[in-house]
Amino acid sequence: MDVCVIGAGYVGLTTAVILSDLGHNVCCVDINETRIKELSESRVPFHESGLSALMNRNVEVGRLSFSTNTEKKIDENDVIFIAVGTPPEKSGRPNLEAFDGVVQSLAGSIRSYKMILIKSTVPPGTNKNLEAALLQHGVDPDKFDVVSNPEFLREGTAVEDALHPNKIVVGTTSTGVVDSIHTLYKGIHAPYIVTTPEGAEMIKYASNAFLATKISFINEMSRICDAYNVDIEDIARGLGTDPRIGPHFLNAGLGYGGSCFPKDLKALEYSALQRNVVPTMLHAAKAVNDSQIDFYIKKLERKLGELKEKQVTVWGLAFKPDTDDIRLSPAHAFIERLQEKRCIVHSYDPMAVPSDADGMRFSDRYEALQGSDALVIATDWKEFQESNWPKVRERLKGNVIFDGRNCLDPETIRSH
Ligand code: NAD
Ligand code: UGA
């Protein structure tokens, strides 16, 4: 099939690469000229394991290309994916400016039949609104179908997740498109969930809301466990063996961040309130997460005393391991709180893009420790678990290691 993917971010680029690898002819377009230039020079503008190799392989065989000319590429292809960002506004409502920009491009470029699939995470009703907008612009209703096809990949494992999804969700009112979608994803083995467009839009929000709630649940449990001197890791293991609960997303720590959970929880809350539904559970999940950093700051203060003029080294700046993405990173929120308390912060991350919220950033994690009163692990990078603890001991002034991701083995560390 001839495919145009609009948006060359984590979702768009991964989708384009995977579809080209499945044998389709794909063009990935973006309004960001620098990004398209980098991609055209075989460089992926963010870190995503395996993406660069797979991308270049498909570019080389001529199945994948890049462009900034959205209208032209819409015109040339029959399958159009929308994968642009939908960041939150202050009210929680997703900002659909980028999405609306694509609608304008579509309205002016549909001359032959297009199957338009929305991969961006959008509020319930957006698929219908897109259809209505195109009709309003005078586009022939026989020349397009709009399908909700939300994405469930995680950053850091985007390629693996896109190649082996646990489901393919299709939201449509036109049963005819389902066969085309099977052809599109031929080679990917996953159960299909076919529902209405609003159903598909809601599955996406509900999934992220549920996962975020699971994290807030274990974080609240960790507070109760702390009060009773119980190890939360034991509780997570005890819960996880029950197949009705499952072992995943039960890692207590600094809380969830990133460009999706915080945004999507707010968006779902907003959608609920728009229809006068009070989303009590969502409020609670958000409230636990919003106060998690303070909970940890208090713990640190109990150990170190007043933080003013203390020096703390933070290992980990990315919002999770195996990515350079720092959007709404809990590590940054933590550093900001330390700095508000006039604490001197040294930081290190193996990959995160630099930002103002890094404190004094070091390129060597052991050098970052020199003279610090405490070490805080804010992102659970595997390399931190394999640290040279005698070297840590040598550099650190104090002996406080504060594992904000419960990823270290305390006994191993104590033994040093
Ligand atoms: P991103 O910010 O990494 O990329 C979005 C891209 O869209 C940018 O490169 C931007 O320049 C481009 N863009 C904006 N307006 C455009 C236009 N009019 N025409 C062409 N390109 C345009 O975003 P992302 O993380 O890939 O997320 C995209 C969507 O997918 C969001 O709705 C997000 O919630 C959802 N999602 C993200 C993930 C994830 O892990 N990042 C996973 C599932 C779903
Ligand atoms: C999340 C979902 O997992 C994806 O399915 C979804 O497609 C994506 O959002 C999206 O809609 O964009 P992602 O944000 O990449 O993916 O990362 P996760 O692995 O879910 O982690 C999110 C945050 O939760 C991170 O800050 C992580 O450290 C934290 N987390 C995760 C915990 O605190 N505890 C856990 O047990 C798991």
Side-chain angles (χ1 to χ4, degrees), residues 6-12 29-32 35 70 83-86 98 101-102 119-121 151-155 204 259-260 263-264 327:
I6 305 174
Y10 289 88
V11 169
V29 302
D30 204 292
I31 44 168
N32 182 335
R35 178 158 283 202
T70 308
V84 298
T86 50
V102 177
K119 269 229 173 281
S120 299
T121 303
E151 180 54 62
F152 299 90
L153 63 77
R154 293 161 296 173
E155 288 179 28
K204 176 62 199 172
S259 68
C260 294
K263 155 179 94 72
D264 292 346
R327 290 179 285 180

PDB file of all heavy atoms in Angstrom, residues 6-12 29-32 35 70 83-86 98 101-102 119-121 151-155 204 259-260 263-264 327, ligand 1:
ATOM      1  N   ILE A   6       1.825  11.388   8.826  1.00  0.00           N
ATOM      2  CA  ILE A   6       2.005  12.812   9.131  1.00  0.00           C
ATOM      3  C   ILE A   6       2.440  12.965  10.590  1.00  0.00           C
ATOM      4  O   ILE A   6       1.702  12.596  11.508  1.00  0.00           O
ATOM      5  CB  ILE A   6       0.708  13.609   8.857  1.00  0.00           C
ATOM      6  CG1 ILE A   6       0.233  13.371   7.408  1.00  0.00           C
ATOM      7  CG2 ILE A   6       0.915  15.091   9.138  1.00  0.00           C
ATOM      8  CD1 ILE A   6      -1.102  14.004   7.084  1.00  0.00           C
ATOM      9  N   GLY A   7       3.658  13.509  10.772  1.00  0.00           N
ATOM     10  CA  GLY A   7       4.248  13.615  12.114  1.00  0.00           C
ATOM     11  C   GLY A   7       5.387  12.613  12.209  1.00  0.00           C
ATOM     12  O   GLY A   7       5.166  11.406  12.047  1.00  0.00           O
ATOM     13  N   ALA A   8       6.616  13.117  12.438  1.00  0.00           N
ATOM     14  CA  ALA A   8       7.783  12.225  12.501  1.00  0.00           C
ATOM     15  C   ALA A   8       8.339  12.168  13.919  1.00  0.00           C
ATOM     16  O   ALA A   8       9.541  12.226  14.131  1.00  0.00           O
ATOM     17  CB  ALA A   8       8.848  12.690  11.513  1.00  0.00           C
ATOM     18  N   GLY A   9       7.452  12.068  14.907  1.00  0.00           N
ATOM     19  CA  GLY A   9       7.882  11.940  16.301  1.00  0.00           C
ATOM     20  C   GLY A   9       8.002  10.469  16.669  1.00  0.00           C
ATOM     21  O   GLY A   9       8.138   9.602  15.800  1.00  0.00           O
ATOM     22  N   TYR A  10       7.936  10.194  17.959  1.00  0.00           N
ATOM     23  CA  TYR A  10       8.087   8.814  18.440  1.00  0.00           C
ATOM     24  C   TYR A  10       7.080   7.885  17.755  1.00  0.00           C
ATOM     25  O   TYR A  10       7.430   6.807  17.291  1.00  0.00           O
ATOM     26  CB  TYR A  10       7.881   8.766  19.958  1.00  0.00           C
ATOM     27  CG  TYR A  10       9.014   9.403  20.711  1.00  0.00           C
ATOM     28  CD1 TYR A  10       9.010  10.773  21.003  1.00  0.00           C
ATOM     29  CD2 TYR A  10      10.118   8.662  21.101  1.00  0.00           C
ATOM     30  CE1 TYR A  10      10.067  11.360  21.679  1.00  0.00           C
ATOM     31  CE2 TYR A  10      11.180   9.244  21.776  1.00  0.00           C
ATOM     32  CZ  TYR A  10      11.150  10.586  22.066  1.00  0.00           C
ATOM     33  OH  TYR A  10      12.203  11.170  22.723  1.00  0.00           O
ATOM     34  N   VAL A  11       5.837   8.329  17.683  1.00  0.00           N
ATOM     35  CA  VAL A  11       4.798   7.457  17.127  1.00  0.00           C
ATOM     36  C   VAL A  11       4.845   7.442  15.603  1.00  0.00           C
ATOM     37  O   VAL A  11       4.842   6.376  14.971  1.00  0.00           O
ATOM     38  CB  VAL A  11       3.404   7.901  17.637  1.00  0.00           C
ATOM     39  CG1 VAL A  11       2.287   7.191  16.880  1.00  0.00           C
ATOM     40  CG2 VAL A  11       3.286   7.614  19.122  1.00  0.00           C
ATOM     41  N   GLY A  12       4.889   8.642  14.996  1.00  0.00           N
ATOM     42  CA  GLY A  12       4.844   8.726  13.538  1.00  0.00           C
ATOM     43  C   GLY A  12       6.023   8.034  12.884  1.00  0.00           C
ATOM     44  O   GLY A  12       5.861   7.215  11.970  1.00  0.00           O
ATOM     45  N   VAL A  29       6.031  12.582   6.770  1.00  0.00           N
ATOM     46  CA  VAL A  29       6.152  14.034   6.602  1.00  0.00           C
ATOM     47  C   VAL A  29       6.076  14.749   7.952  1.00  0.00           C
ATOM     48  O   VAL A  29       5.483  14.245   8.902  1.00  0.00           O
ATOM     49  CB  VAL A  29       5.056  14.616   5.656  1.00  0.00           C
ATOM     50  CG1 VAL A  29       5.106  13.976   4.297  1.00  0.00           C
ATOM     51  CG2 VAL A  29       3.679  14.498   6.261  1.00  0.00           C
ATOM     52  N   ASP A  30       6.706  15.905   8.009  1.00  0.00           N
ATOM     53  CA  ASP A  30       6.677  16.706   9.231  1.00  0.00           C
ATOM     54  C   ASP A  30       6.850  18.170   8.834  1.00  0.00           C
ATOM     55  O   ASP A  30       7.513  18.469   7.829  1.00  0.00           O
ATOM     56  CB  ASP A  30       7.817  16.277  10.169  1.00  0.00           C
ATOM     57  CG  ASP A  30       7.529  16.620  11.616  1.00  0.00           C
ATOM     58  OD1 ASP A  30       7.497  17.825  11.948  1.00  0.00           O
ATOM     59  OD2 ASP A  30       7.326  15.701  12.429  1.00  0.00           O
ATOM     60  N   ILE A  31       6.268  19.080   9.629  1.00  0.00           N
ATOM     61  CA  ILE A  31       6.463  20.504   9.326  1.00  0.00           C
ATOM     62  C   ILE A  31       7.819  20.994   9.837  1.00  0.00           C
ATOM     63  O   ILE A  31       8.268  22.074   9.478  1.00  0.00           O
ATOM     64  CB  ILE A  31       5.361  21.415   9.932  1.00  0.00           C
ATOM     65  CG1 ILE A  31       5.053  20.998  11.361  1.00  0.00           C
ATOM     66  CG2 ILE A  31       4.123  21.458   9.064  1.00  0.00           C
ATOM     67  CD1 ILE A  31       4.210  22.019  12.093  1.00  0.00           C
ATOM     68  N   ASN A  32       8.440  20.204  10.693  1.00  0.00           N
ATOM     69  CA  ASN A  32       9.734  20.582  11.260  1.00  0.00           C
ATOM     70  C   ASN A  32      10.834  20.257  10.235  1.00  0.00           C
ATOM     71  O   ASN A  32      11.239  19.103  10.062  1.00  0.00           O
ATOM     72  CB  ASN A  32       9.940  19.817  12.569  1.00  0.00           C
ATOM     73  CG  ASN A  32      11.228  20.185  13.264  1.00  0.00           C
ATOM     74  OD1 ASN A  32      12.183  20.631  12.631  1.00  0.00           O
ATOM     75  ND2 ASN A  32      11.253  19.997  14.562  1.00  0.00           N
ATOM     76  N   ARG A  35      14.030  18.517  11.426  1.00  0.00           N
ATOM     77  CA  ARG A  35      13.805  17.092  11.681  1.00  0.00           C
ATOM     78  C   ARG A  35      13.844  16.275  10.388  1.00  0.00           C
ATOM     79  O   ARG A  35      14.494  15.238  10.303  1.00  0.00           O
ATOM     80  CB  ARG A  35      12.453  16.933  12.400  1.00  0.00           C
ATOM     81  CG  ARG A  35      12.077  15.521  12.687  1.00  0.00           C
ATOM     82  CD  ARG A  35      11.084  15.416  13.814  1.00  0.00           C
ATOM     83  NE  ARG A  35      11.745  15.607  15.097  1.00  0.00           N
ATOM     84  CZ  ARG A  35      11.271  15.182  16.277  1.00  0.00           C
ATOM     85  NH1 ARG A  35      10.118  14.546  16.319  1.00  0.00           N
ATOM     86  NH2 ARG A  35      11.919  15.378  17.383  1.00  0.00           N
ATOM     87  N   THR A  70       3.423  18.169   2.967  1.00  0.00           N
ATOM     88  CA  THR A  70       2.303  17.333   3.415  1.00  0.00           C
ATOM     89  C   THR A  70       1.240  17.184   2.331  1.00  0.00           C
ATOM     90  O   THR A  70       0.794  16.066   2.038  1.00  0.00           O
ATOM     91  CB  THR A  70       1.675  17.957   4.691  1.00  0.00           C
ATOM     92  OG1 THR A  70       2.721  18.186   5.634  1.00  0.00           O
ATOM     93  CG2 THR A  70       0.637  17.055   5.305  1.00  0.00           C
ATOM     94  N   ALA A  83      -0.227  11.420  13.101  1.00  0.00           N
ATOM     95  CA  ALA A  83       0.516  11.077  14.332  1.00  0.00           C
ATOM     96  C   ALA A  83       1.182  12.322  14.907  1.00  0.00           C
ATOM     97  O   ALA A  83       2.322  12.276  15.366  1.00  0.00           O
ATOM     98  CB  ALA A  83       1.546   9.993  14.022  1.00  0.00           C
ATOM     99  N   VAL A  84       0.479  13.450  14.857  1.00  0.00           N
ATOM    100  CA  VAL A  84       1.051  14.686  15.399  1.00  0.00           C
ATOM    101  C   VAL A  84       0.769  14.770  16.903  1.00  0.00           C
ATOM    102  O   VAL A  84      -0.080  14.043  17.431  1.00  0.00           O
ATOM    103  CB  VAL A  84       0.488  15.941  14.672  1.00  0.00           C
ATOM    104  CG1 VAL A  84       0.858  15.914  13.207  1.00  0.00           C
ATOM    105  CG2 VAL A  84      -1.013  16.062  14.850  1.00  0.00           C
ATOM    106  N   GLY A  85       1.476  15.649  17.578  1.00  0.00           N
ATOM    107  CA  GLY A  85       1.344  15.775  19.028  1.00  0.00           C
ATOM    108  C   GLY A  85       0.014  16.409  19.441  1.00  0.00           C
ATOM    109  O   GLY A  85      -0.581  17.190  18.692  1.00  0.00           O
ATOM    110  N   THR A  86      -0.435  16.040  20.646  1.00  0.00           N
ATOM    111  CA  THR A  86      -1.678  16.606  21.199  1.00  0.00           C
ATOM    112  C   THR A  86      -1.409  17.022  22.651  1.00  0.00           C
ATOM    113  O   THR A  86      -1.952  16.436  23.575  1.00  0.00           O
ATOM    114  CB  THR A  86      -2.822  15.558  21.139  1.00  0.00           C
ATOM    115  OG1 THR A  86      -2.337  14.312  21.705  1.00  0.00           O
ATOM    116  CG2 THR A  86      -3.278  15.304  19.731  1.00  0.00           C
ATOM    117  N   ALA A  98      -2.009  21.318  16.206  1.00  0.00           N
ATOM    118  CA  ALA A  98      -1.252  20.561  15.190  1.00  0.00           C
ATOM    119  C   ALA A  98      -2.215  19.676  14.390  1.00  0.00           C
ATOM    120  O   ALA A  98      -2.125  19.587  13.157  1.00  0.00           O
ATOM    121  CB  ALA A  98      -0.181  19.706  15.856  1.00  0.00           C
ATOM    122  N   GLY A 101      -4.116  21.647  11.979  1.00  0.00           N
ATOM    123  CA  GLY A 101      -3.256  21.980  10.835  1.00  0.00           C
ATOM    124  C   GLY A 101      -3.308  20.863   9.794  1.00  0.00           C
ATOM    125  O   GLY A 101      -3.377  21.119   8.584  1.00  0.00           O
ATOM    126  N   VAL A 102      -3.318  19.638  10.266  1.00  0.00           N
ATOM    127  CA  VAL A 102      -3.378  18.490   9.350  1.00  0.00           C
ATOM    128  C   VAL A 102      -4.747  18.444   8.654  1.00  0.00           C
ATOM    129  O   VAL A 102      -4.834  18.147   7.451  1.00  0.00           O
ATOM    130  CB  VAL A 102      -3.121  17.173  10.120  1.00  0.00           C
ATOM    131  CG1 VAL A 102      -3.263  15.965   9.199  1.00  0.00           C
ATOM    132  CG2 VAL A 102      -1.740  17.183  10.763  1.00  0.00           C
ATOM    133  N   LYS A 119      -3.740   8.165  14.661  1.00  0.00           N
ATOM    134  CA  LYS A 119      -2.905   7.483  15.669  1.00  0.00           C
ATOM    135  C   LYS A 119      -2.679   8.392  16.876  1.00  0.00           C
ATOM    136  O   LYS A 119      -2.396   7.915  17.965  1.00  0.00           O
ATOM    137  CB  LYS A 119      -1.539   7.121  15.071  1.00  0.00           C
ATOM    138  CG  LYS A 119      -1.522   5.757  14.456  1.00  0.00           C
ATOM    139  CD  LYS A 119      -0.317   4.946  14.924  1.00  0.00           C
ATOM    140  CE  LYS A 119      -0.416   3.523  14.425  1.00  0.00           C
ATOM    141  NZ  LYS A 119      -1.315   2.706  15.212  1.00  0.00           N
ATOM    142  N   SER A 120      -2.750   9.701  16.651  1.00  0.00           N
ATOM    143  CA  SER A 120      -2.597  10.621  17.781  1.00  0.00           C
ATOM    144  C   SER A 120      -3.653  10.283  18.827  1.00  0.00           C
ATOM    145  O   SER A 120      -4.743   9.822  18.491  1.00  0.00           O
ATOM    146  CB  SER A 120      -2.828  12.068  17.326  1.00  0.00           C
ATOM    147  OG  SER A 120      -1.891  12.443  16.356  1.00  0.00           O
ATOM    148  N   THR A 121      -3.320  10.546  20.094  1.00  0.00           N
ATOM    149  CA  THR A 121      -4.288  10.336  21.166  1.00  0.00           C
ATOM    150  C   THR A 121      -5.193  11.561  21.219  1.00  0.00           C
ATOM    151  O   THR A 121      -4.729  12.668  21.511  1.00  0.00           O
ATOM    152  CB  THR A 121      -3.552  10.136  22.508  1.00  0.00           C
ATOM    153  OG1 THR A 121      -2.649   9.040  22.352  1.00  0.00           O
ATOM    154  CG2 THR A 121      -4.519   9.856  23.640  1.00  0.00           C
ATOM    155  N   GLU A 151      -2.423   4.250  19.279  1.00  0.00           N
ATOM    156  CA  GLU A 151      -1.107   3.605  19.431  1.00  0.00           C
ATOM    157  C   GLU A 151      -0.848   3.329  20.907  1.00  0.00           C
ATOM    158  O   GLU A 151      -1.174   4.148  21.756  1.00  0.00           O
ATOM    159  CB  GLU A 151      -0.032   4.541  18.860  1.00  0.00           C
ATOM    160  CG  GLU A 151       1.366   3.993  18.948  1.00  0.00           C
ATOM    161  CD  GLU A 151       1.480   2.623  18.309  1.00  0.00           C
ATOM    162  OE1 GLU A 151       1.246   2.492  17.101  1.00  0.00           O
ATOM    163  OE2 GLU A 151       1.814   1.661  19.036  1.00  0.00           O
ATOM    164  N   PHE A 152      -0.226   2.168  21.178  1.00  0.00           N
ATOM    165  CA  PHE A 152       0.029   1.775  22.572  1.00  0.00           C
ATOM    166  C   PHE A 152       1.513   1.549  22.865  1.00  0.00           C
ATOM    167  O   PHE A 152       1.863   0.987  23.892  1.00  0.00           O
ATOM    168  CB  PHE A 152      -0.783   0.520  22.920  1.00  0.00           C
ATOM    169  CG  PHE A 152      -2.266   0.745  22.799  1.00  0.00           C
ATOM    170  CD1 PHE A 152      -2.930   0.512  21.595  1.00  0.00           C
ATOM    171  CD2 PHE A 152      -3.006   1.242  23.870  1.00  0.00           C
ATOM    172  CE1 PHE A 152      -4.300   0.755  21.463  1.00  0.00           C
ATOM    173  CE2 PHE A 152      -4.367   1.485  23.752  1.00  0.00           C
ATOM    174  CZ  PHE A 152      -5.016   1.252  22.547  1.00  0.00           C
ATOM    175  N   LEU A 153       2.382   1.963  21.929  1.00  0.00           N
ATOM    176  CA  LEU A 153       3.819   1.714  22.145  1.00  0.00           C
ATOM    177  C   LEU A 153       4.334   2.543  23.309  1.00  0.00           C
ATOM    178  O   LEU A 153       3.764   3.571  23.688  1.00  0.00           O
ATOM    179  CB  LEU A 153       4.622   2.009  20.876  1.00  0.00           C
ATOM    180  CG  LEU A 153       4.676   3.430  20.295  1.00  0.00           C
ATOM    181  CD1 LEU A 153       5.600   4.359  21.057  1.00  0.00           C
ATOM    182  CD2 LEU A 153       5.114   3.365  18.848  1.00  0.00           C
ATOM    183  N   ARG A 154       5.427   2.052  23.898  1.00  0.00           N
ATOM    184  CA  ARG A 154       6.113   2.797  24.963  1.00  0.00           C
ATOM    185  C   ARG A 154       7.420   3.329  24.411  1.00  0.00           C
ATOM    186  O   ARG A 154       8.050   2.675  23.573  1.00  0.00           O
ATOM    187  CB  ARG A 154       6.464   1.859  26.140  1.00  0.00           C
ATOM    188  CG  ARG A 154       5.283   1.327  26.888  1.00  0.00           C
ATOM    189  CD  ARG A 154       5.679   0.091  27.672  1.00  0.00           C
ATOM    190  NE  ARG A 154       6.091  -0.982  26.771  1.00  0.00           N
ATOM    191  CZ  ARG A 154       6.628  -2.147  27.152  1.00  0.00           C
ATOM    192  NH1 ARG A 154       6.833  -2.381  28.422  1.00  0.00           N
ATOM    193  NH2 ARG A 154       6.961  -3.064  26.281  1.00  0.00           N
ATOM    194  N   GLU A 155       7.843   4.481  24.884  1.00  0.00           N
ATOM    195  CA  GLU A 155       9.152   4.979  24.488  1.00  0.00           C
ATOM    196  C   GLU A 155      10.215   4.058  25.100  1.00  0.00           C
ATOM    197  O   GLU A 155      10.020   3.503  26.173  1.00  0.00           O
ATOM    198  CB  GLU A 155       9.342   6.419  24.965  1.00  0.00           C
ATOM    199  CG  GLU A 155       8.490   7.364  24.161  1.00  0.00           C
ATOM    200  CD  GLU A 155       8.612   8.813  24.585  1.00  0.00           C
ATOM    201  OE1 GLU A 155       9.666   9.203  25.098  1.00  0.00           O
ATOM    202  OE2 GLU A 155       7.633   9.544  24.395  1.00  0.00           O
ATOM    203  N   LYS A 204      -7.958   4.011  24.354  1.00  0.00           N
ATOM    204  CA  LYS A 204      -6.619   4.591  24.512  1.00  0.00           C
ATOM    205  C   LYS A 204      -6.499   5.336  25.843  1.00  0.00           C
ATOM    206  O   LYS A 204      -5.565   5.131  26.622  1.00  0.00           O
ATOM    207  CB  LYS A 204      -6.322   5.533  23.330  1.00  0.00           C
ATOM    208  CG  LYS A 204      -5.028   6.268  23.428  1.00  0.00           C
ATOM    209  CD  LYS A 204      -3.827   5.338  23.440  1.00  0.00           C
ATOM    210  CE  LYS A 204      -2.607   6.024  23.993  1.00  0.00           C
ATOM    211  NZ  LYS A 204      -1.486   5.116  24.203  1.00  0.00           N
ATOM    212  N   SER A 259       5.477  12.316  28.404  1.00  0.00           N
ATOM    213  CA  SER A 259       4.589  13.173  27.617  1.00  0.00           C
ATOM    214  C   SER A 259       3.179  12.612  27.538  1.00  0.00           C
ATOM    215  O   SER A 259       2.311  13.216  26.926  1.00  0.00           O
ATOM    216  CB  SER A 259       5.148  13.339  26.209  1.00  0.00           C
ATOM    217  OG  SER A 259       5.082  12.103  25.525  1.00  0.00           O
ATOM    218  N   CYS A 260       2.935  11.437  28.161  1.00  0.00           N
ATOM    219  CA  CYS A 260       1.617  10.822  27.940  1.00  0.00           C
ATOM    220  C   CYS A 260       0.734  10.653  29.174  1.00  0.00           C
ATOM    221  O   CYS A 260      -0.380  11.149  29.177  1.00  0.00           O
ATOM    222  CB  CYS A 260       1.808   9.502  27.214  1.00  0.00           C
ATOM    223  SG  CYS A 260       2.445   9.815  25.552  1.00  0.00           S
ATOM    224  N   LYS A 263      -0.561  13.935  30.681  1.00  0.00           N
ATOM    225  CA  LYS A 263      -1.417  14.609  29.697  1.00  0.00           C
ATOM    226  C   LYS A 263      -2.750  13.859  29.519  1.00  0.00           C
ATOM    227  O   LYS A 263      -3.822  14.468  29.510  1.00  0.00           O
ATOM    228  CB  LYS A 263      -0.659  14.657  28.366  1.00  0.00           C
ATOM    229  CG  LYS A 263      -1.514  14.743  27.121  1.00  0.00           C
ATOM    230  CD  LYS A 263      -0.665  14.820  25.870  1.00  0.00           C
ATOM    231  CE  LYS A 263      -0.377  13.511  25.186  1.00  0.00           C
ATOM    232  NZ  LYS A 263      -1.470  12.892  24.482  1.00  0.00           N
ATOM    233  N   ASP A 264      -2.675  12.542  29.382  1.00  0.00           N
ATOM    234  CA  ASP A 264      -3.888  11.794  29.056  1.00  0.00           C
ATOM    235  C   ASP A 264      -4.839  11.690  30.245  1.00  0.00           C
ATOM    236  O   ASP A 264      -6.062  11.648  30.068  1.00  0.00           O
ATOM    237  CB  ASP A 264      -3.517  10.413  28.499  1.00  0.00           C
ATOM    238  CG  ASP A 264      -2.849  10.537  27.124  1.00  0.00           C
ATOM    239  OD1 ASP A 264      -2.939  11.630  26.526  1.00  0.00           O
ATOM    240  OD2 ASP A 264      -2.230   9.564  26.661  1.00  0.00           O
ATOM    241  N   ARG A 327      10.529  15.013  28.807  1.00  0.00           N
ATOM    242  CA  ARG A 327       9.252  15.712  28.972  1.00  0.00           C
ATOM    243  C   ARG A 327       8.567  15.261  30.274  1.00  0.00           C
ATOM    244  O   ARG A 327       8.372  14.079  30.503  1.00  0.00           O
ATOM    245  CB  ARG A 327       8.348  15.454  27.746  1.00  0.00           C
ATOM    246  CG  ARG A 327       8.865  16.150  26.492  1.00  0.00           C
ATOM    247  CD  ARG A 327       7.992  15.886  25.287  1.00  0.00           C
ATOM    248  NE  ARG A 327       8.151  14.551  24.742  1.00  0.00           N
ATOM    249  CZ  ARG A 327       7.482  14.095  23.677  1.00  0.00           C
ATOM    250  NH1 ARG A 327       6.603  14.861  23.065  1.00  0.00           N
ATOM    251  NH2 ARG A 327       7.687  12.868  23.229  1.00  0.00           N
TER     252      ARG A 327
HETATM  253  P1  NAD B   1       6.151  14.082  19.102  1.00  0.00           P
HETATM  254  O1  NAD B   1       6.061  15.387  19.758  1.00  0.00           O
HETATM  255  O2  NAD B   1       7.354  13.210  19.324  1.00  0.00           O
HETATM  256  O3  NAD B   1       6.011  14.251  17.513  1.00  0.00           O
HETATM  257  C1  NAD B   1       4.984  14.964  16.902  1.00  0.00           C
HETATM  258  C2  NAD B   1       5.499  15.459  15.542  1.00  0.00           C
HETATM  259  O4  NAD B   1       4.414  16.038  14.810  1.00  0.00           O
HETATM  260  C3  NAD B   1       6.571  16.544  15.657  1.00  0.00           C
HETATM  261  O5  NAD B   1       7.741  16.149  14.959  1.00  0.00           O
HETATM  262  C4  NAD B   1       5.909  17.786  15.005  1.00  0.00           C
HETATM  263  O6  NAD B   1       6.832  18.609  14.330  1.00  0.00           O
HETATM  264  C5  NAD B   1       4.946  17.124  14.050  1.00  0.00           C
HETATM  265  N1  NAD B   1       3.857  18.007  13.575  1.00  0.00           N
HETATM  266  C6  NAD B   1       3.150  18.920  14.283  1.00  0.00           C
HETATM  267  N2  NAD B   1       2.234  19.517  13.467  1.00  0.00           N
HETATM  268  C7  NAD B   1       2.376  18.969  12.241  1.00  0.00           C
HETATM  269  C8  NAD B   1       1.723  19.154  10.989  1.00  0.00           C
HETATM  270  N3  NAD B   1       0.722  20.016  10.851  1.00  0.00           N
HETATM  271  N4  NAD B   1       2.131  18.426   9.939  1.00  0.00           N
HETATM  272  C9  NAD B   1       3.142  17.531  10.065  1.00  0.00           C
HETATM  273  N5  NAD B   1       3.784  17.303  11.229  1.00  0.00           N
HETATM  274  C10 NAD B   1       3.416  18.011  12.298  1.00  0.00           C
HETATM  275  O7  NAD B   1       4.829  13.299  19.489  1.00  0.00           O
HETATM  276  P2  NAD B   1       4.661  11.747  19.817  1.00  0.00           P
HETATM  277  O8  NAD B   1       5.265  11.448  21.135  1.00  0.00           O
HETATM  278  O9  NAD B   1       5.035  10.951  18.616  1.00  0.00           O
HETATM  279  O10 NAD B   1       3.069  11.682  20.015  1.00  0.00           O
HETATM  280  C11 NAD B   1       2.175  11.860  18.932  1.00  0.00           C
HETATM  281  C12 NAD B   1       0.790  11.447  19.393  1.00  0.00           C
HETATM  282  O11 NAD B   1       0.793  10.055  19.725  1.00  0.00           O
HETATM  283  C13 NAD B   1       0.288  12.160  20.653  1.00  0.00           C
HETATM  284  O12 NAD B   1      -1.096  12.335  20.558  1.00  0.00           O
HETATM  285  C14 NAD B   1       0.621  11.172  21.778  1.00  0.00           C
HETATM  286  O13 NAD B   1      -0.235  11.311  22.879  1.00  0.00           O
HETATM  287  C15 NAD B   1       0.380   9.847  21.089  1.00  0.00           C
HETATM  288  N6  NAD B   1       1.157   8.733  21.624  1.00  0.00           N
HETATM  289  C16 NAD B   1       2.457   8.922  21.982  1.00  0.00           C
HETATM  290  C17 NAD B   1       3.208   7.818  22.462  1.00  0.00           C
HETATM  291  C18 NAD B   1       4.647   7.980  22.903  1.00  0.00           C
HETATM  292  O14 NAD B   1       5.170   7.043  23.491  1.00  0.00           O
HETATM  293  N7  NAD B   1       5.306   9.088  22.664  1.00  0.00           N
HETATM  294  C19 NAD B   1       2.608   6.559  22.515  1.00  0.00           C
HETATM  295  C20 NAD B   1       1.277   6.421  22.105  1.00  0.00           C
HETATM  296  C21 NAD B   1       0.554   7.516  21.654  1.00  0.00           C
END
